Amino acid sequence: MDIQEDLKVKSLAKAMRILECFSVDEPELGISRIAEMLELNKSNVHNIVTTLMQMGYIEQKESGKYCLGLKMLQYSFIVNEHLGYPRAVYDVLQDISWRCGEIVYFGIPYRDQVLYLYVIHPRARLTVMPYREILGETAPMYCTGIGKAMLAAFPEDEWPERITKERKPFTPQTVTDYGEIITDLQVCKERGYAIDDGGREPGLRCVGVPVYNSHGKLIAGTSISGPMANFTEKKIQEFAGILQDAAFRMRERLY
Amino acid sequence: MDIQEDLKVKSLAKAMRILECFSVDEPELGISRIAEMLELNKSNVHNIVTTLMQMGYIEQKESGKYCLGLKMLQYSFIVNEHLGYPRAVYDVLQDISWRCGEIVYFGIPYRDQVLYLYVIHPRARLTVMPYREILGETAPMYCTGIGKAMLAAFPEDEWPERITKERKPFTPQTVTDYGEIITDLQVCKERGYAIDDGGREPGLRCVGVPVYNSHGKLIAGTSISGPMANFTEKKIQEFAGILQDAAFRMRERLY
DNA sequence: GAACATCGTTCTACAATAGAGAACAATAGC
DNA sequence: GCTATTGTTCTCTATTGTAGAACGATGTTC
C-alpha cells in the first residue's frame, strides 16, 4: 500500500501518525476524517483510537469527534523538568523584560524549527497583546528572531537542513528566498544578533541572540519582540546589548 | 501473564505503558529497566522503544539510556490551545498576583488529581521561590488548596472517587484520614473557599476557590500560595475575597 | 588485569493479533 | 421521509508482533 517504512512495530507507528493528525487548526477529528487523512481503513483507525482513548490519550466529545486527552500535558511537565531550563533562565528572562518593557521569548532548536519554551509578558503590554502559553509551540527558523539567531550560530554546513525547504510567506515581509536568507544569516553571524522585521507576525519586530551552555554548545535562543514603533535602530542596539548580557549570564548556569 | 485488559490494539497499549514509565523522578530509563518495570520481554521493549524513537517520541542519550523526546511538547501546545483558557484567565490571574503579592496557581480537575496549568510569580518573591513551569504537573486533590476547593464544589457522591485511595503524607501536616478530609470539605463548601495548611509543601499555606464557566459548570480552581507568615487569619479572608472576585470575572469568559 | 555481570542489540520461528471489508445502527442534512 | 454520512461492530485470514536465546560492548569487581 503506502510506503511502509522500516519500523519494527507498525501498528504503533500508525497510532502515532494518528496522534499527529491533531493540530491547533484541527484539534477535533472524526474517525472517517483521520482514515482519509492517512489513507487507512476506518475500522483500523477505530481500533487504534479506541485503545488510545482507553489509555487516556484521546478523549471523545459529545459530538462523537475525538480530541487529544489531558494526559498529554503530563509529558510536557516531565520533559520540561528534565530539560531543567526554567530554574536556570527564568529570572534572567524576567530581568530582560523589566529592562526593555517588551515580550521576551526563550526557545530551543528542533530540526528546522524553533521550539518555544517560555515567554515573559511585560506588565504594561498585557492589554494590547493577549497572553499565550507557548510551551511546545513551533515556528520555522528562517523567519523568526530566535530562529535566525540560532541558525547563524550553527555551523554553516547545517544551514541547508535547518532551513525549511518549503518556505511559506507568513506576512508580506517574510523573506523566503534562500539566497537572501543566507546573506542575512552572514550579517547576523558577524553582528552577533538577529533581527526579524515582521517576517512572522505583521507589525512585529524582533531581536534575537543565541544562548550557549557552559561547555560552549549552542542550546537555545532568546529574543525581545514588540511593535515596530518601539524598535528604532537605537533601541534595537540597546535590546541586543541586554540580550547578549542575559545570554552570558545564562551560560554559566546551563550544562 | 499479567491482566491483559480488553484492549483492541495490545501492542499499542504496551507502548503507551512504556511511555508512562518515564517520570520526573526517573526521566531516563534503560531497556532492561523498562522490561523489569512492566514485566515484559527485553526484545519486546526494544522493538517498541526503537519505533517510538524513530517517530521522535523518545530519544537516546549517549549513555544508551532513553528519555522522552521534545516532540511531546508539541502536544501540550495543541491541548492547551484547544482548552482555550490562557486568553480567558491569564490577565485575571496576573491581577490576583499584583493585588496579593503571592504566587497564584490555576488548575483543572483530572480524575482524583489537580492538573496544574498556569502559575504567576510575584515580582518580589522571585528570589525566594525558584520559578517553575507547572503546565502538566499533577497533585492529589485531597491535600492542595485548589484540589480541596474543587472537591468541595463537586457533588458529594463524586467525593469517594475523587479522593485518592492511597493517601501519602507529603508533610507532617498532611491530613490523610478520610473522615477528617470529609469534615474539612464540608467546611470548605459552606465557607466558599478552601485552606491548605502545609499539607503539600512544608511551611506553605494556600487559599483556593473553585472556578465555574458561564454555564455554571465547575471547570477549574485557582489559588494563592505563600509562606505561612504571610497568611494570617485576616489575610486569608482578604485573599479569599480577591479569589472569589477573580473567579467571578473568569466565569463570564469561560464557556 | 582478568573474570564477571549487565547493558543494548540482533536474530528467528511460531502463534497471537492487527487489519480489510462489509454490514451495522445512529445521526445530520435536505 | 429519504439520503448520505457518521461512528461502531463483526469475522476471518495473513500479517506481524513477540519470546527466547545468543550477540558484542560496556563497565564493574576482586
CSV table of all heavy atoms in Angstrom, one decimal, chain A residues 113-167:
chain,number,residue,atom,x,y,z
A,113,GLN,N,13.1,23.8,13.1
A,113,GLN,CA,12.1,24.6,13.8
A,113,GLN,C,12.7,25.3,15.1
A,113,GLN,O,13.6,24.7,15.7
A,113,GLN,CB,10.9,23.8,14.2
A,113,GLN,CG,10.2,23.1,13.1
A,113,GLN,CD,9.2,23.9,12.3
A,113,GLN,OE1,8.4,24.5,13.0
A,113,GLN,NE2,9.4,24.0,11.0
A,114,VAL,N,12.0,26.3,15.5
A,114,VAL,CA,12.2,26.8,16.9
A,114,VAL,C,11.2,26.2,17.7
A,114,VAL,O,10.0,26.3,17.4
A,114,VAL,CB,12.1,28.4,16.9
A,114,VAL,CG1,12.3,28.9,18.4
A,114,VAL,CG2,13.0,29.0,16.0
A,115,LEU,N,11.6,25.6,18.8
A,115,LEU,CA,10.6,25.1,19.8
A,115,LEU,C,10.5,26.0,20.9
A,115,LEU,O,11.5,26.1,21.7
A,115,LEU,CB,11.0,23.7,20.2
A,115,LEU,CG,10.1,23.0,21.2
A,115,LEU,CD1,8.7,22.8,20.7
A,115,LEU,CD2,10.7,21.6,21.6
A,116,TYR,N,9.5,26.8,21.0
A,116,TYR,CA,9.4,27.8,22.1
A,116,TYR,C,9.1,27.1,23.4
A,116,TYR,O,8.3,26.2,23.5
A,116,TYR,CB,8.2,28.8,21.8
A,116,TYR,CG,8.5,29.7,20.6
A,116,TYR,CD1,8.1,29.4,19.3
A,116,TYR,CD2,9.3,30.8,20.8
A,116,TYR,CE1,8.4,30.3,18.3
A,116,TYR,CE2,9.6,31.7,19.8
A,116,TYR,CZ,9.2,31.4,18.5
A,116,TYR,OH,9.5,32.2,17.4
A,117,LEU,N,9.7,27.7,24.4
A,117,LEU,CA,9.5,27.1,25.8
A,117,LEU,C,8.9,28.1,26.7
A,117,LEU,O,7.8,27.9,27.3
A,117,LEU,CB,10.9,26.7,26.4
A,117,LEU,CG,11.6,25.5,25.7
A,117,LEU,CD1,12.8,25.1,26.4
A,117,LEU,CD2,10.6,24.3,25.6
A,118,TYR,N,9.4,29.3,26.8
A,118,TYR,CA,8.9,30.3,27.8
A,118,TYR,C,8.7,31.7,27.2
A,118,TYR,O,9.3,32.0,26.2
A,118,TYR,CB,9.8,30.4,29.0
A,118,TYR,CG,10.4,29.1,29.4
A,118,TYR,CD1,11.7,28.8,29.4
A,118,TYR,CD2,9.5,28.0,29.8
A,118,TYR,CE1,12.2,27.6,29.7
A,118,TYR,CE2,10.0,26.8,30.1
A,118,TYR,CZ,11.4,26.6,30.1
A,118,TYR,OH,11.9,25.3,30.4
A,119,VAL,N,7.8,32.4,27.7
A,119,VAL,CA,7.5,33.7,27.3
A,119,VAL,C,7.3,34.6,28.6
A,119,VAL,O,6.7,34.1,29.5
A,119,VAL,CB,6.3,33.8,26.4
A,119,VAL,CG1,5.0,33.3,27.1
A,119,VAL,CG2,6.1,35.2,25.8
A,120,ILE,N,7.8,35.8,28.5
A,120,ILE,CA,7.5,36.7,29.6
A,120,ILE,C,6.8,37.9,29.0
A,120,ILE,O,7.3,38.6,28.1
A,120,ILE,CB,8.8,37.2,30.3
A,120,ILE,CG1,9.7,36.1,30.7
A,120,ILE,CG2,8.5,38.1,31.5
A,120,ILE,CD1,9.3,35.3,31.9
A,121,HIS,N,5.6,38.3,29.6
A,121,HIS,CA,4.9,39.4,29.2
A,121,HIS,C,5.2,40.6,30.1
A,121,HIS,O,5.1,40.4,31.3
A,121,HIS,CB,3.4,39.1,29.2
A,121,HIS,CG,3.0,38.2,28.1
A,121,HIS,ND1,2.3,38.6,27.0
A,121,HIS,CD2,3.1,36.9,28.0
A,121,HIS,CE1,2.1,37.6,26.2
A,121,HIS,NE2,2.6,36.5,26.8
A,122,PRO,N,5.5,41.7,29.6
A,122,PRO,CA,5.6,42.9,30.4
A,122,PRO,C,4.3,43.4,30.9
A,122,PRO,O,3.3,43.2,30.3
A,122,PRO,CB,6.3,43.9,29.5
A,122,PRO,CG,5.8,43.6,28.2
A,122,PRO,CD,5.6,42.1,28.2
A,123,ARG,N,4.3,44.0,32.1
A,123,ARG,CA,3.0,44.4,32.7
A,123,ARG,C,2.2,45.3,31.8
A,123,ARG,O,1.0,45.1,31.6
A,123,ARG,CB,3.3,45.1,34.0
A,123,ARG,CG,2.1,45.5,34.7
A,123,ARG,CD,2.3,46.0,36.1
A,123,ARG,NE,1.1,46.4,36.8
A,123,ARG,CZ,1.0,46.6,38.1
A,123,ARG,NH1,2.0,46.3,38.9
A,123,ARG,NH2,-0.2,47.0,38.6
A,124,ALA,N,2.9,46.3,31.2
A,124,ALA,CA,2.2,47.3,30.5
A,124,ALA,C,1.5,46.8,29.2
A,124,ALA,O,0.4,47.2,28.8
A,124,ALA,CB,3.1,48.4,30.1
A,125,ARG,N,2.1,45.8,28.6
A,125,ARG,CA,1.7,45.3,27.3
A,125,ARG,C,0.5,44.4,27.4
A,125,ARG,O,-0.1,44.0,26.3
A,125,ARG,CB,2.9,44.7,26.6
A,125,ARG,CG,2.7,44.5,25.1
A,125,ARG,CD,2.5,45.8,24.3
A,125,ARG,NE,3.2,46.9,24.8
A,125,ARG,CZ,4.5,47.1,24.6
A,125,ARG,NH1,5.2,46.3,24.0
A,125,ARG,NH2,5.1,48.2,25.1
A,126,LEU,N,0.1,43.9,28.6
A,126,LEU,CA,-0.9,42.9,28.7
A,126,LEU,C,-2.2,43.2,28.0
A,126,LEU,O,-2.8,42.3,27.4
A,126,LEU,CB,-1.2,42.6,30.1
A,126,LEU,CG,-0.4,41.4,30.7
A,126,LEU,CD1,-0.8,41.1,32.1
A,126,LEU,CD2,-0.7,40.1,29.9
A,127,THR,N,-2.6,44.4,28.0
A,127,THR,CA,-3.9,44.8,27.4
A,127,THR,C,-3.8,44.7,25.9
A,127,THR,O,-4.8,44.4,25.3
A,127,THR,CB,-4.3,46.2,27.9
A,127,THR,OG1,-3.1,47.1,27.7
A,127,THR,CG2,-4.7,46.2,29.3
A,128,VAL,N,-2.7,45.0,25.3
A,128,VAL,CA,-2.6,45.0,23.9
A,128,VAL,C,-2.4,43.6,23.3
A,128,VAL,O,-3.1,43.3,22.4
A,128,VAL,CB,-1.3,45.9,23.5
A,128,VAL,CG1,-1.3,46.0,22.0
A,128,VAL,CG2,-1.3,47.2,24.2
A,129,MET,N,-1.5,42.9,23.9
A,129,MET,CA,-1.2,41.6,23.4
A,129,MET,C,-1.8,40.5,24.3
A,129,MET,O,-1.4,40.4,25.5
A,129,MET,CB,0.3,41.4,23.4
A,129,MET,CG,0.8,40.3,22.5
A,129,MET,SD,0.8,40.6,20.8
A,129,MET,CE,1.7,39.1,20.2
A,130,PRO,N,-2.7,39.7,23.8
A,130,PRO,CA,-3.3,38.7,24.7
A,130,PRO,C,-2.3,37.7,25.1
A,130,PRO,O,-1.4,37.3,24.3
A,130,PRO,CB,-4.3,38.0,23.8
A,130,PRO,CG,-3.9,38.2,22.4
A,130,PRO,CD,-3.1,39.5,22.4
A,131,TYR,N,-2.3,37.2,26.3
A,131,TYR,CA,-1.4,36.3,26.8
A,131,TYR,C,-1.5,34.9,26.1
A,131,TYR,O,-2.6,34.5,25.8
A,131,TYR,CB,-1.6,36.0,28.3
A,131,TYR,CG,-0.7,34.9,28.8
A,131,TYR,CD1,0.6,35.2,29.2
A,131,TYR,CD2,-1.2,33.6,29.0
A,131,TYR,CE1,1.4,34.2,29.6
A,131,TYR,CE2,-0.3,32.6,29.4
A,131,TYR,CZ,1.0,33.0,29.8
A,131,TYR,OH,1.8,32.0,30.2
A,132,ARG,N,-0.4,34.3,25.8
A,132,ARG,CA,-0.4,33.0,25.2
A,132,ARG,C,0.6,32.1,26.0
A,132,ARG,O,1.7,32.5,26.2
A,132,ARG,CB,-0.1,33.1,23.8
A,132,ARG,CG,-1.1,33.9,23.0
A,132,ARG,CD,-0.6,34.1,21.6
A,132,ARG,NE,-0.2,32.9,20.9
A,132,ARG,CZ,1.0,32.7,20.5
A,132,ARG,NH1,1.9,33.6,20.6
A,132,ARG,NH2,1.3,31.5,19.9
A,133,GLU,N,0.1,30.9,26.3
A,133,GLU,CA,1.1,29.9,26.8
A,133,GLU,C,1.8,29.4,25.5
A,133,GLU,O,1.1,29.0,24.6
A,133,GLU,CB,0.3,28.8,27.5
A,133,GLU,CG,1.2,27.7,28.1
A,133,GLU,CD,1.9,28.1,29.3
A,133,GLU,OE1,1.4,29.0,30.0
A,133,GLU,OE2,2.9,27.5,29.6
A,134,ILE,N,3.1,29.3,25.5
A,134,ILE,CA,3.7,28.9,24.3
A,134,ILE,C,4.5,27.6,24.4
A,134,ILE,O,5.1,27.2,23.4
A,134,ILE,CB,4.7,30.0,23.7
A,134,ILE,CG1,5.7,30.4,24.8
A,134,ILE,CG2,3.9,31.2,23.3
A,134,ILE,CD1,7.0,30.9,24.2
A,135,LEU,N,4.6,27.1,25.6
A,135,LEU,CA,5.4,25.8,25.7
A,135,LEU,C,4.9,24.8,24.7
A,135,LEU,O,3.8,24.4,24.7
A,135,LEU,CB,5.1,25.2,27.1
A,135,LEU,CG,5.9,24.0,27.4
A,135,LEU,CD1,7.4,24.2,27.5
A,135,LEU,CD2,5.5,23.3,28.7
A,136,GLY,N,5.8,24.5,23.8
A,136,GLY,CA,5.6,23.5,22.8
A,136,GLY,C,5.2,24.1,21.4
A,136,GLY,O,5.0,23.3,20.4
A,137,GLU,N,5.0,25.4,21.3
A,137,GLU,CA,4.8,26.0,20.0
A,137,GLU,C,6.0,25.9,19.1
A,137,GLU,O,7.1,26.0,19.6
A,137,GLU,CB,4.3,27.4,20.1
A,137,GLU,CG,3.9,28.0,18.8
A,137,GLU,CD,3.3,29.4,18.9
A,137,GLU,OE1,3.4,30.0,19.9
A,137,GLU,OE2,2.6,29.8,17.9
A,138,THR,N,5.8,25.7,17.8
A,138,THR,CA,7.0,25.7,16.9
A,138,THR,C,6.8,26.7,15.8
A,138,THR,O,5.6,27.1,15.5
A,138,THR,CB,7.1,24.3,16.3
A,138,THR,OG1,5.9,23.9,15.7
A,138,THR,CG2,7.5,23.3,17.4
A,139,ALA,N,7.9,27.2,15.3
A,139,ALA,CA,7.9,28.0,14.1
A,139,ALA,C,9.2,27.8,13.3
A,139,ALA,O,10.2,27.4,13.9
A,139,ALA,CB,7.8,29.5,14.6
A,140,PRO,N,9.1,28.0,12.0
A,140,PRO,CA,10.3,27.8,11.2
A,140,PRO,C,11.5,28.7,11.7
A,140,PRO,O,11.2,29.8,12.2
A,140,PRO,CB,9.9,28.2,9.8
A,140,PRO,CG,8.4,28.2,9.8
A,140,PRO,CD,8.0,28.5,11.2
A,141,MET,N,12.7,28.3,11.6
A,141,MET,CA,13.8,29.1,12.0
A,141,MET,C,14.0,30.3,11.1
A,141,MET,O,14.4,31.3,11.6
A,141,MET,CB,15.1,28.2,12.0
A,141,MET,CG,15.2,27.2,13.1
A,141,MET,SD,16.9,26.9,13.5
A,141,MET,CE,16.8,25.7,14.8
A,142,TYR,N,13.8,30.1,9.8
A,142,TYR,CA,14.2,31.1,8.8
A,142,TYR,C,13.5,32.4,8.9
A,142,TYR,O,14.0,33.4,8.4
A,142,TYR,CB,14.1,30.5,7.4
A,142,TYR,CG,12.7,30.4,6.9
A,142,TYR,CD1,12.0,31.5,6.3
A,142,TYR,CD2,12.0,29.2,7.1
A,142,TYR,CE1,10.7,31.3,5.9
A,142,TYR,CE2,10.7,29.1,6.7
A,142,TYR,CZ,10.1,30.2,6.1
A,142,TYR,OH,8.8,30.0,5.7
A,143,CYS,N,12.4,32.5,9.7
A,143,CYS,CA,11.7,33.7,9.7
A,143,CYS,C,11.4,34.2,11.1
A,143,CYS,O,10.4,35.0,11.3
A,143,CYS,CB,10.4,33.5,8.9
A,143,CYS,SG,9.2,32.3,9.6
A,144,THR,N,12.1,33.8,12.1
A,144,THR,CA,11.9,34.3,13.4
A,144,THR,C,13.2,34.8,14.0
A,144,THR,O,14.3,34.4,13.6
A,144,THR,CB,11.4,33.1,14.3
A,144,THR,OG1,12.3,32.1,14.3
A,144,THR,CG2,10.1,32.6,13.9
A,145,GLY,N,13.1,35.7,15.0
A,145,GLY,CA,14.3,36.3,15.6
A,145,GLY,C,15.1,35.2,16.3
A,145,GLY,O,16.3,35.1,16.0
A,146,ILE,N,14.5,34.4,17.1
A,146,ILE,CA,15.3,33.4,17.8
A,146,ILE,C,15.9,32.4,16.8
A,146,ILE,O,17.0,32.0,16.8
A,146,ILE,CB,14.4,32.6,18.8
A,146,ILE,CG1,14.1,33.4,20.0
A,146,ILE,CG2,15.1,31.3,19.2
A,146,ILE,CD1,13.3,32.7,21.1
A,147,GLY,N,15.1,32.0,15.8
A,147,GLY,CA,15.5,31.0,14.8
A,147,GLY,C,16.7,31.5,14.0
A,147,GLY,O,17.7,30.8,13.9
A,148,LYS,N,16.7,32.7,13.6
A,148,LYS,CA,17.8,33.2,12.8
A,148,LYS,C,19.0,33.4,13.6
A,148,LYS,O,20.2,33.1,13.2
A,148,LYS,CB,17.4,34.6,12.1
A,148,LYS,CG,16.4,34.4,11.0
A,148,LYS,CD,16.4,35.5,10.0
A,148,LYS,CE,15.8,36.8,10.7
A,148,LYS,NZ,15.7,37.9,9.7
A,149,ALA,N,18.8,33.8,14.9
A,149,ALA,CA,20.0,33.9,15.8
A,149,ALA,C,20.7,32.5,16.0
A,149,ALA,O,21.9,32.4,16.0
A,149,ALA,CB,19.5,34.5,17.1
A,150,MET,N,19.8,31.5,16.2
A,150,MET,CA,20.4,30.2,16.4
A,150,MET,C,21.0,29.6,15.1
A,150,MET,O,22.1,29.0,15.1
A,150,MET,CB,19.3,29.2,16.9
A,150,MET,CG,18.8,29.6,18.3
A,150,MET,SD,17.9,28.3,19.1
A,150,MET,CE,16.5,28.1,18.0
A,151,LEU,N,20.3,29.8,14.0
A,151,LEU,CA,20.8,29.4,12.7
A,151,LEU,C,22.2,30.0,12.4
A,151,LEU,O,23.1,29.3,12.1
A,151,LEU,CB,19.9,29.9,11.5
A,151,LEU,CG,18.9,28.9,11.0
A,151,LEU,CD1,18.0,29.6,10.0
A,151,LEU,CD2,19.5,27.7,10.4
A,152,ALA,N,22.3,31.3,12.7
A,152,ALA,CA,23.6,32.0,12.4
A,152,ALA,C,24.7,31.4,13.3
A,152,ALA,O,25.9,31.4,12.9
A,152,ALA,CB,23.5,33.5,12.7
A,153,ALA,N,24.3,30.9,14.5
A,153,ALA,CA,25.3,30.3,15.4
A,153,ALA,C,25.7,28.9,15.1
A,153,ALA,O,26.7,28.4,15.5
A,153,ALA,CB,24.8,30.4,16.8
A,154,PHE,N,24.8,28.2,14.3
A,154,PHE,CA,25.1,26.8,13.9
A,154,PHE,C,26.2,26.9,12.8
A,154,PHE,O,26.3,27.8,12.1
A,154,PHE,CB,23.9,26.2,13.3
A,154,PHE,CG,23.0,25.5,14.3
A,154,PHE,CD1,21.7,25.9,14.6
A,154,PHE,CD2,23.5,24.4,15.1
A,154,PHE,CE1,20.9,25.3,15.5
A,154,PHE,CE2,22.7,23.8,16.0
A,154,PHE,CZ,21.4,24.2,16.2
A,155,PRO,N,27.0,25.8,12.7
A,155,PRO,CA,27.9,25.7,11.6
A,155,PRO,C,27.2,25.8,10.3
A,155,PRO,O,26.1,25.2,10.2
A,155,PRO,CB,28.6,24.3,11.8
A,155,PRO,CG,27.8,23.6,12.9
A,155,PRO,CD,27.1,24.7,13.7
A,156,GLU,N,27.9,26.4,9.3
A,156,GLU,CA,27.2,26.7,8.1
A,156,GLU,C,26.7,25.5,7.3
A,156,GLU,O,25.8,25.5,6.5
A,156,GLU,CB,28.1,27.6,7.2
A,156,GLU,CG,28.3,29.0,7.8
A,156,GLU,CD,28.9,30.0,6.8
A,156,GLU,OE1,28.8,29.7,5.6
A,156,GLU,OE2,29.4,31.0,7.3
A,157,ASP,N,27.4,24.4,7.5
A,157,ASP,CA,27.0,23.2,6.8
A,157,ASP,C,25.7,22.6,7.3
A,157,ASP,O,25.2,21.7,6.7
A,157,ASP,CB,28.2,22.1,6.9
A,157,ASP,CG,28.4,21.7,8.3
A,157,ASP,OD1,28.4,22.6,9.2
A,157,ASP,OD2,28.7,20.5,8.6
A,158,GLU,N,25.3,23.1,8.5
A,158,GLU,CA,24.0,22.6,9.0
A,158,GLU,C,22.8,23.5,8.4
A,158,GLU,O,21.6,23.2,8.6
A,158,GLU,CB,23.9,22.6,10.5
A,158,GLU,CG,24.7,21.5,11.1
A,158,GLU,CD,24.4,21.4,12.6
A,158,GLU,OE1,23.3,21.6,13.0
A,158,GLU,OE2,25.3,21.0,13.4
A,159,TRP,N,23.2,24.6,7.8
A,159,TRP,CA,22.1,25.6,7.4
A,159,TRP,C,21.1,24.9,6.4
A,159,TRP,O,19.9,25.1,6.6
A,159,TRP,CB,22.8,26.8,6.7
A,159,TRP,CG,23.4,27.7,7.7
A,159,TRP,CD1,23.5,27.5,9.1
A,159,TRP,CD2,24.0,29.0,7.5
A,159,TRP,NE1,24.1,28.6,9.7
A,159,TRP,CE2,24.5,29.5,8.7
A,159,TRP,CE3,24.3,29.7,6.3
A,159,TRP,CZ2,25.1,30.7,8.9
A,159,TRP,CZ3,24.9,30.9,6.5
A,159,TRP,CH2,25.3,31.4,7.7
A,160,PRO,N,21.6,24.2,5.4
A,160,PRO,CA,20.6,23.6,4.5
A,160,PRO,C,19.5,22.8,5.1
A,160,PRO,O,18.4,22.9,4.8
A,160,PRO,CB,21.5,22.8,3.5
A,160,PRO,CG,22.8,23.4,3.6
A,160,PRO,CD,23.0,23.9,5.0
A,161,GLU,N,19.9,21.9,6.1
A,161,GLU,CA,18.9,21.1,6.7
A,161,GLU,C,18.1,21.8,7.7
A,161,GLU,O,17.0,21.3,8.1
A,161,GLU,CB,19.6,19.9,7.4
A,161,GLU,CG,20.6,20.3,8.5
A,161,GLU,CD,21.5,19.1,8.9
A,161,GLU,OE1,22.5,18.8,8.2
A,161,GLU,OE2,21.3,18.6,10.0
A,162,ARG,N,18.6,22.9,8.2
A,162,ARG,CA,17.9,23.7,9.2
A,162,ARG,C,17.0,24.8,8.6
A,162,ARG,O,16.2,25.4,9.3
A,162,ARG,CB,18.8,24.4,10.2
A,162,ARG,CG,19.8,23.4,10.9
A,162,ARG,CD,19.3,23.1,12.3
A,162,ARG,NE,20.2,22.3,13.1
A,162,ARG,CZ,19.9,21.7,14.2
A,162,ARG,NH1,18.7,21.8,14.6
A,162,ARG,NH2,20.8,21.0,14.8
A,163,ILE,N,17.1,25.0,7.3
A,163,ILE,CA,16.3,26.0,6.7
A,163,ILE,C,15.2,25.2,5.9
A,163,ILE,O,15.4,24.5,5.0
A,163,ILE,CB,17.1,26.9,5.7
A,163,ILE,CG1,18.1,27.7,6.4
A,163,ILE,CG2,16.1,27.8,4.9
A,163,ILE,CD1,19.1,28.4,5.6
A,164,THR,N,14.0,25.4,6.4
A,164,THR,CA,12.8,24.7,5.8
A,164,THR,C,12.8,24.8,4.3
A,164,THR,O,13.0,25.8,3.7
A,164,THR,CB,11.5,25.3,6.4
A,164,THR,OG1,11.7,25.5,7.8
A,164,THR,CG2,10.3,24.4,6.1
A,165,LYS,N,12.5,23.6,3.7
A,165,LYS,CA,12.5,23.6,2.2
A,165,LYS,C,11.4,24.4,1.6
A,165,LYS,O,11.6,25.2,0.7
A,165,LYS,CB,12.5,22.1,1.8
A,165,LYS,CG,13.7,21.3,2.2
A,165,LYS,CD,14.9,21.5,1.4
A,165,LYS,CE,16.1,20.8,2.0
A,165,LYS,NZ,16.8,21.5,3.0
A,166,GLU,N,10.2,24.1,2.1
A,166,GLU,CA,9.0,24.8,1.6
A,166,GLU,C,8.7,26.0,2.5
A,166,GLU,O,8.1,25.9,3.6
A,166,GLU,CB,7.8,23.9,1.5
A,166,GLU,CG,7.9,22.8,0.5
A,166,GLU,CD,7.3,21.5,0.9
A,166,GLU,OE1,6.5,21.5,1.9
A,166,GLU,OE2,7.6,20.5,0.3
A,167,ARG,N,9.2,27.2,2.0
A,167,ARG,CA,9.1,28.4,2.9
A,167,ARG,C,7.8,29.2,2.5
A,167,ARG,O,7.7,29.7,1.4
A,167,ARG,CB,10.3,29.2,2.7
A,167,ARG,CG,11.6,28.5,3.3
A,167,ARG,CD,12.8,29.4,3.1
A,167,ARG,NE,13.2,29.4,1.7
A,167,ARG,CZ,13.9,28.5,1.1
A,167,ARG,NH1,14.2,27.4,1.7
A,167,ARG,NH2,14.2,28.6,-0.2
